[in-house]
Amino acid sequence: MTDEELDALVASLGPAGKVRLLTGASGWRTQGEPAVGLRPLVTSDGPVGVRGESWDERETSLVLPSPTALAAAWDEQLAQEMGGLLAFEARRKGVDVLLAPTLNLHRTPLGGRHFECYAEDPLLTARTGAAVIRGVQEGGVAATAKHFVANDAETDRLTVDVRVGEQALREVYLAPFEAAVDAGVWVVMSAYNRVNGATMSASPLLAEPLKGAWGFDGVVVSDWGAVRSTVETARAAQDLAMPGPESAWGDALLAAVRTGAVAESALDDKVRRLLRLADRVGALGAPAPRWRPVVPESHRRALLRRAVAAGTVLVRNTGSAGPVLPLDPGRLRTVAVIGPRAAEPRIQGGGSAEVFPARTVSPLAGIRQALGPDVRVLHAPGVPPERRPVPLSGALARNPMSGQQGVLVRLLDAEGRELHAEHRLSGRIVEPAGVDGAATVEIRALLRPGVTGEWTLAVGGFGPISLAVDGRTVLAGEFARDTDDPTRVHVSPPYRRATLPLTAGQGYEVVARRGLAPDTGVATVLAAAPPPGCPAAALAEAVSAARAADAVVLVVGTTEATESEGSDRGSLSLPDGQDALVRAVSGAHPDTVVLVNSGGPVALPWREEVAALLIGWFPGQEAGHGLADVLLGRAEPGGRLPTTWPVRQSDVPVLDTVPDRGALRYDEGLHIGYRAWLRGRSAPAYWFGHGLGYTSWQYERLDVPRSVAADGSFEVRVQVRNTGGREGREVVQVYLARPETAVERPARWLAGHAAVRARPGETAEAVVRVDRRALEHWSVTEHGWRTEPGDFTVYAGRSAGDLPLTAEIRVPAPAWQAAGERSETVTPR
């Protein structure tokens, strides 16, 4: 639809009609307007999968590897394919707008939501995110670049004021969003936080550079509940307030327009953008038929399996008699698969982006299937069960009415009469059925403990809560809402606990009730944790299994309590005695292979005591199959680290996530991640970009042109030789430095990368394009992009800390700069 046609539709609406369109109709839908042929747009969370409009474990979704795992692949084609898979899932679920990708950075490894973000480097984040955007939008679904901007930690995220300098803001934190706009993204989400005093839903950054210099013509949607004022946000370049129907806009905004506090022309621009978005996704007028490829389930699962291997990073492979990996299946008779994450991996992080898989392949299951019936596979968790209660499900709980695995959920009126009842598969009920007159949510289950001892039962939620076991009340109270954080209120409410003795094999009817008090949300959870196990016995069982095996795979990782939306991490240490488990198992079997199942860096004090070490991230639903492919050499571990991993937490140069008097100061400026480590006194355990394959490489030659091209870019050619014994893939990384500089710069910075493949003994040439922006800096005096003429050093190698090849390139001042131009718009991208 042309701009003129959109203008005509906008002009046909009065002020009240325009205002109505600018606040959501519900939690996940926008308003429709039949008079202009507009149907509601459906939105959904989506970094690792498309949940759809309902939070219901019966509505399953494909679960992709986490964004950190995807960035670890350093593969834009794969990222675009994963975006296409998200688009397929969105169309399957009737979703028009996918709330992904997340383009915030790993400023500090303590960030609690980093599993949703790509990397510590703005260029790797930008290129991965742009590829995902292209894949999503080629499928006719809108992608959403979020959270604009500097929303890089969770502590006080609704109110924190991020204080960041202009140069760092432009070169580091805004850079991935600029790339998203260049990729044609249709939606940008404004964040909860403030930046330099301005809340992001009213920030001048929405106008400049987003809609001005960058030319973004899409919709700026708020994070859910982030529009908390009327006139300030409406005057800004904020377009859509979500969710609805209640918001700070609505009637208050209409009144502001009628009094002249907000110009109607501001509404016109917002509505025009909303209609343009609707036209793009086929929600305006008579939608034109669009070809939508059907992707068979087997193909979807194969892509997810391939992505697991592509993002898995091998950081160590040195056994007692040479490399341990890949394992030789022909020499295996007994394999021990050990660790708390071997049978129950974390495939995704906690919070609003969670989805429900139809199936999850654990490392244990994947290895068993890959090895077949002739190989004995032993399993030992190695640590006692987690003490944090988990929602009732599976064999532990049954619906007392039907006997099915799961729970019975009832909605009761104020007198306790049943209004609605349904069978659910889990005790975590984030969104009970909407029933008029409902005053109480009840979750009822027949609990049959597997062990005797002191069990912990818990109810999650706010307001009046009670818990009864076989008719005896064991918990009752009124629990006031203590937070405004929507994740804590609506997704993962706190638990209220009771401890009582239960006998193995005996059935107990457990009834949790939660009153639906105003302004407390509706999420209700019935959870349980078994009695504390014996750490010594669990450890002894694991050591015994390791001693009896030809090969040992040990899977350790984080928990939902340590990596989840809504809170930052307090420690990088693995929880629950897992460090001691690694040391004990590797002591019993010197060729132990360790897999780390986490969304971001963890401390690895035993890293040089194990034979092989893999970083598996949160790998999605095909985790076990992809891992088995890597372990047995069917696929090479293709990943390279998108973040720098420290030796010790105390070594990390940028660590803080806690605001001081409401402000979180980014005093490190440009120097985050490997850039900060390059200025420090200690070396990390593993540099950004590090990763081994199943062959070895020699870097032989680096060719750079004498000067840059007319558009300011240049190409680097790097020759590498496969010096190992099998075909492999190498990610060639190019970094820049400016030794004699008059402006603030990192010691060196990533400028581009390319992957090559070669058979044993062969050479391959990586061609890496370095865009002009890699040579530019943001001038805080001239408020624009400038190029400092002179010599730049070009580095090529395998990581930020392993760059064997160097060369120089002479960079002149561009003609526009020599002419004295100042505007950033004179340097077209």
Side-chain angles (χ1 to χ4, degrees):
M1 187 171 287
T2 66
D3 286 347
E4 291 75 16
E5 290 172 317
L6 293 175
D7 288 342
L9 294 180
V10 173
S12 71
L13 298 170
K18 296 172 186 175
V19 166
R20 191 179 72 86
L21 292 179
L22 300 181
T23 291
S26 64
W28 301 106
R29 290 193 173 217
T30 66
Q31 299 281 357
E33 179 49 75
V36 296
L38 173 67
R39 68 163 173 81
L41 302 180
V42 178
T43 68
S44 173
D45 285 313
V48 298
V50 184
R51 190 174 56 248
E53 291 187 84
S54 64
W55 198 294
D56 189 326
E57 73 284 352
R58 297 167 297 185
E59 298 293 330
T60 60
S61 307
L62 290 179
V63 183
L64 283 63
S66 67
T68 44
L70 185 55
W74 293 61
D75 185 338
E76 291 169 46
Q77 178 58 41
L78 176 63
Q80 188 161 335
E81 290 182 61
M82 300 305 276
L85 190 56
L86 287 169
F88 174 86
E89 281 284 278
R91 295 193 306 271
R92 183 174 70 85
K93 294 200 167 201
V95 168
D96 302 298
V97 179
L98 188 69
L99 303 177
T102 301
L103 299 180
N104 303 116
L105 298 180
H106 292 229
R107 172 180 170 266
T108 158
L110 290 180
R113 200 177 180 181
H114 280 352
F115 50 83
E116 273 192 44
C117 310
Y118 292 114
E120 68 187 22
D121 180 78
L123 181 64
L124 181 59
T125 297
R127 291 191 172 179
T128 309
V132 170
I133 288 166
R134 290 192 296 269
V136 171
Q137 294 187 170
E138 284 174 359
V141 176
T144 303
K146 67 180 188 182
H147 310 83
F148 189 86
V149 63
N151 185 196
D152 309 296
E154 295 295 282
T155 304
D156 296 342
R157 63 177 176 156
L158 303 186
T159 58
V160 62
D161 185 6
V162 172
R163 304 291 178 85
V164 56
E166 184 180 342
Q167 184 183 6
L169 182 63
R170 289 287 187 145
E171 293 185 23
V172 178
Y173 298 99
L174 283 170
F177 291 94
E178 184 178 9
V181 174
D182 284 347
V185 73
W186 293 342
V187 181
V188 170
M189 179 186 288
S190 60
Y192 290 121
N193 57 291
R194 296 176 179 269
V195 171
N196 297 329
T199 186
M200 283 313 304
S201 57
S203 172
L205 295 171
L206 298 177
E208 284 294 345
L210 179 60
K211 290 184 176 179
W214 296 355
F216 174 62
D217 67 353
V219 169
V220 175
V221 64
S222 72
D223 205 340
W224 266 226
V227 171
R228 291 164 287 200
S229 66
T230 303
V231 173
E232 180 188 31
T233 54
R235 285 177 172 173
Q238 179 72 49
D239 298 317
L240 176 63
M242 288 295 288
E246 303 299 326
S247 83
W249 286 0
D251 291 341
L253 177 55
L254 181 58
V257 171
R258 286 173 172 164
T259 63
V262 175
E264 188 173 350
S265 60
L267 302 186
D268 291 345
D269 182 66
K270 300 177 195 300
V271 172
R272 184 182 302 109
R273 289 170 177 272
L274 185 62
L275 295 178
R276 182 181 293 123
L277 172 63
D279 183 52
R280 284 169 166 165
V281 300
L284 184 63
R290 298 182 182 181
W291 178 70
R292 295 288 186 265
V294 175
V295 184
E297 181 185 3
S298 60
H299 291 188
R300 286 175 261 156
R301 287 171 46 197
L303 175 58
L304 294 179
R305 179 173 181 163
R306 175 161 61 88
V308 174
T312 298
V313 184
L314 177 63
V315 297
R316 178 177 172 83
N317 192 16
T318 307
S320 57
V324 171
L325 294 177
L327 301 174
D328 182 355
R331 297 184 177 183
L332 301 177
R333 294 296 176 265
T334 302
V335 174
V337 184
I338 298 171
R341 295 290 166 228
E344 297 181 356
R346 290 196 72 198
I347 64 168
Q348 59 184 319
S352 63
E354 289 179 78
V355 293
F356 305 101
R359 59 171 233 163
T360 296
V361 183
S362 71
L364 177 62
I367 292 169
R368 275 183 170 151
Q369 183 172 332
L371 291 175
D374 294 334
V375 178
R376 181 184 179 209
V377 177
L378 308 176
H379 170 58
V383 296
E386 188 180 338
R387 290 297 299 139
R388 183 178 185 272
V390 297
L392 290 183
S393 63
L396 187 62
R398 293 188 177 273
N399 183 323
M401 297 297 294
S402 67
Q404 296 173 277
Q405 289 188 355
V407 302
L408 173 66
V409 176
R410 301 199 304 157
L411 296 176
L412 313 176
D413 67 13
E415 284 71 45
R417 294 185 294 252
E418 180 183 296
L419 301 175
H420 174 81
E422 63 181 355
H423 175 75
R424 298 293 292 265
L425 306 178
S426 167
R428 185 185 182 196
I429 310 299
V430 176
E431 294 177 348
V435 177
D436 290 341
T440 300
V441 178
E442 178 188 273
I443 306 176
R444 188 181 292 259
L446 184 64
L447 173 66
R448 196 172 298 277
V451 295
T452 297
E454 291 288 319
W455 280 72
T456 300
L457 302 182
V459 183
F462 295 99
I465 285 175
S466 67
L467 177 65
V469 179
D470 284 347
R472 180 173 67 91
T473 299
V474 297
L475 172 69
E478 181 84 27
F479 300 94
R481 195 178 99 175
D482 59 1
T483 179
D484 290 327
D485 192 301
T487 296
R488 186 172 170 85
V489 175
H490 301 295
V491 178
S492 301
Y495 285 153
R496 327 299 175 178
R497 293 171 168 83
T499 302
L500 64 161
L502 301 178
T503 302
Q506 183 174 328
Y508 299 87
E509 187 170 46
V510 180
V511 180
R513 288 186 174 179
R514 187 244 204 219
L516 297 175
D519 201 33
T520 61
V522 298
T524 309
V525 186
L526 175 57
C534 175
L539 188 62
E541 182 186 15
V543 168
S544 177
R547 287 175 175 158
D550 303 311
V552 176
V553 178
L554 173 55
V555 189
V556 295
T558 57
T559 67
E560 190 169 342
T562 53
E563 285 188 284
S564 182
E565 179 183 354
S567 62
D568 291 311
R569 301 163 69 184
S571 171
L572 296 181
S573 297
L574 289 170
D576 305 328
Q578 293 181 80
D579 287 336
L581 172 64
V582 174
R583 285 193 161 115
V585 169
S586 61
H589 197 295
D591 286 342
T592 293
V593 177
V594 177
L595 173 72
V596 178
N597 178 204
S598 69
V602 295
L604 307 170
W606 35 260
R607 68 191 183 283
E608 295 183 356
E609 302 170 30
V610 301
L613 178 56
L614 292 158
I615 310 299
W617 315 106
F618 295 153
Q621 69 178 56
E622 298 298 318
H625 287 326
L627 173 62
D629 290 341
V630 167
L631 291 173
L632 300 177
R634 297 171 180 172
E636 187 179 35
R640 304 294 185 265
L641 291 177
T643 53
T644 303
W645 284 52
V647 175
R648 292 169 294 273
Q649 181 170 324
S650 58
D651 294 339
V652 178
V654 180
L655 199 61
D656 60 312
T657 62
V658 179
D660 180 12
R661 289 172 289 185
L664 182 59
R665 299 183 182 278
Y666 286 19
D667 291 337
E668 69 282 353
L670 306 174
H671 310 285
I672 66 169
Y674 66 91
R675 301 174 174 195
W677 283 95
L678 288 169
R679 289 164 30 116
R681 296 182 179 179
S682 59
Y686 304 111
W687 283 100
F688 170 84
H690 174 65
L692 309 173
Y694 285 157
T695 189
S696 56
W697 297 88
Q698 181 176 331
Y699 280 69
E700 296 186 337
R701 192 179 73 248
L702 168 63
D703 294 327
V704 301
R706 292 182 179 180
S707 186
V708 301
D711 66 356
S713 68
F714 64 96
E715 281 188 349
V716 173
R717 295 178 180 272
V718 184
Q719 181 175 296
V720 296
R721 183 180 299 275
N722 183 341
T723 57
R726 61 178 278 172
E727 182 180 350
R729 172 181 180 266
E730 175 72 338
V731 178
V732 177
Q733 301 164 42
V734 171
Y735 295 77
L736 295 180
R738 174 82 166 109
E740 303 295 331
T741 183
V743 301
E744 180 74 7
R745 293 185 187 274
R748 56 180 174 264
W749 61 95
L750 181 69
H753 63 87
V756 295
R757 298 194 67 87
R759 292 190 290 269
E762 288 185 342
T763 62
E765 184 178 73
V767 180
V768 180
R769 175 184 168 86
V770 177
D771 292 329
R772 180 170 73 190
R773 180 55 58 80
L775 297 166
E776 293 179 327
H777 66 275
W778 180 264
S779 170
V780 298
T781 57
E782 300 178 79
H783 305 293
W785 293 102
R786 314 297 286 178
T787 299
E788 184 184 26
D791 291 332
F792 283 71
T793 303
V794 181
Y795 295 88
R798 312 194 73 238
S799 75
D802 182 5
L803 299 166
L805 302 181
T806 62
E808 301 293 322
I809 186 169
R810 175 60 58 89
V811 177
W816 65 266
Q817 184 173 303
E821 300 284 355
R822 287 175 176 267
S823 170
E824 64 175 304
T825 59
V826 300
T827 59
R829 293 168 296 279

